[in-house]
Amino acid sequence: MDGNGRWAKQHGLPRVIGHRRGANALRRVVRACVQRQISVLTVFAFSSENWQRPETEVKALMVLFVHSLRREVEKLHEAGVRLRFIGERGRFDAALQHRMDAAERLTANNSCMTMVIAVNYGGRWDLTQAARALAADVLTGRLALEKVDEHALSSHLALADLPEPDLLIRSGGEQRISNFLLWQMAYTELYFTQTLWPDFRVDDLDQALAWFAQRDRRFGRVESTQLRVECA
Ligand code: FPP
């Protein structure tokens, strides 16, 4: 969800207003994804590197997260959305951690769409914590060294129980992954748009989905496969 800061600058507004408009854009997109029977939506809300932003901006983002959770969780629950947070949440203050835990508990049995919110997340952090867990399994004898393979490593990653992403949408014009789901995006289709996140509308989402539908996905093989759509 890139481009909040530039959107604010273009409109002569403080960056925090860009983030607030970004939260509005996210609300539109989530609603549209449920309607379009997307089974998993993962958003990158705060990276491990974002702590390096000015303290005022970090504080404003934390306030926005708490406020958004307070405002949205019940509505998401009613819409059948299961919420999950990935990342190192121990660094957030207790009230925010409590809201994340409560939102996960409340929505745990919902099955229409899983919304994953990556907070204090980094793809390298994810791989490192998975490697550490794997090493612990070997050290304690739960796993033989010969059994360390791709499956064993990926079973410790943050999204282990969810399918790998089919499509990445990055707004704001940059064409890079920025330490997002590094392992999980091995075969993800990458879609970049100049649109700044606060301006991202349902039409932009539909354009990205139409682009995705034209992709020939071979996963290193010759024949292509189709996107699965599931909503229980
Ligand atoms: C990147 O834009 C955006 C962020 C670091 C924050 C994303 C947060 C939201 C959209 C708020 C809503 C989220 C939730 C989960 C309620 P940037 O600030 O890097 O923009 P720039 O590249 O133009 O400076």
Side-chain angles (χ1 to χ4, degrees):
M1 301 185 283
D2 198 14
N4 295 346
R6 277 165 288 159
W7 183 93
K9 195 170 178 195
Q10 279 176 12
H11 291 77
L13 294 164
R15 290 177 64 85
V16 60
I17 304 293
H19 293 310
R20 276 190 213 153
R21 296 297 172 90
N24 293 344
L26 179 58
R27 200 173 302 123
R28 291 194 290 269
V29 166
V30 173
R31 201 179 306 129
C33 285
V34 173
Q35 285 163 354
R36 282 152 186 72
Q37 297 186 307
I38 303 289
S39 57
V40 184
L41 169 70
T42 302
V43 295
F44 204 1
F46 194 84
S47 76
S48 326
E49 291 75 32
N50 286 154
W51 295 108
Q52 292 158 34
R53 293 187 173 207
E55 204 185 325
T56 48
E57 182 170 347
V58 171
K59 274 200 179 136
L61 276 168
M62 297 303 139
V63 170
L64 182 60
F65 293 153
V66 173
H67 178 78
S68 301
L69 288 178
R70 200 167 43 215
R71 218 177 110 153
E72 304 295 339
V73 167
E74 198 58 50
K75 285 185 232 162
L76 290 168
H77 182 45
E78 279 165 23
V81 174
R82 177 171 67 138
L83 273 166
R84 278 268 296 275
F85 295 88
I86 57 167
E88 214 175 353
R89 66 178 89 170
R91 193 163 166 189
F92 295 112
D93 81 29
L96 181 50
Q97 287 187 50
H98 174 75
R99 284 209 177 267
M100 291 184 208
D101 296 344
E104 284 181 333
R105 271 197 312 274
L106 176 72
T107 63
N109 295 321
N110 293 342
S111 58
C112 196
M113 183 175 89
T114 299
M115 179 177 180
V116 183
I117 305 181
V119 280
N120 195 18
Y121 177 86
R124 289 179 178 174
W125 165 82
D126 201 358
L127 281 162
T128 307
Q129 64 83 24
R132 195 182 305 123
L134 210 53
D137 284 352
V138 172
L139 272 175
T140 54
R142 280 195 299 266
L143 186 75
L145 188 57
E146 309 75 65
K147 299 271 187 209
V148 172
D149 57 11
E150 288 186 15
H151 173 76
L153 183 79
S154 64
S155 72
H156 288 289
L157 290 170
L159 296 180
D161 56 325
L162 293 172
E164 291 179 355
D166 291 302
L167 169 66
L168 168 90
I169 302 173
R170 181 173 183 148
S171 61
E174 306 294 358
Q175 301 197 6
R176 53 178 174 252
I177 310 250
S178 297
N179 199 17
F180 197 29
L181 303 162
L182 298 179
W183 174 284
Q184 298 89 338
M185 296 210 310
Y187 287 101
T188 299
E189 300 290 330
L190 308 179
Y191 181 86
F192 300 103
T193 170
Q194 293 294 327
T195 305
L196 301 176
W197 180 251
D199 287 330
F200 196 92
R201 317 221 159 256
V202 175
D203 278 355
D204 297 285
L205 175 70
D206 285 337
Q207 266 179 42
L209 294 175
W211 174 87
F212 175 80
Q214 302 300 318
R215 306 301 303 157
D216 181 20
R217 307 191 75 203
R218 293 186 298 278
F219 301 93
R221 299 188 298 261
V222 176
E223 82 281 14
S224 59
T225 61
Q226 282 189 324
L227 171 68
R228 272 175 299 121
V229 174
E230 293 161 7
C231 182

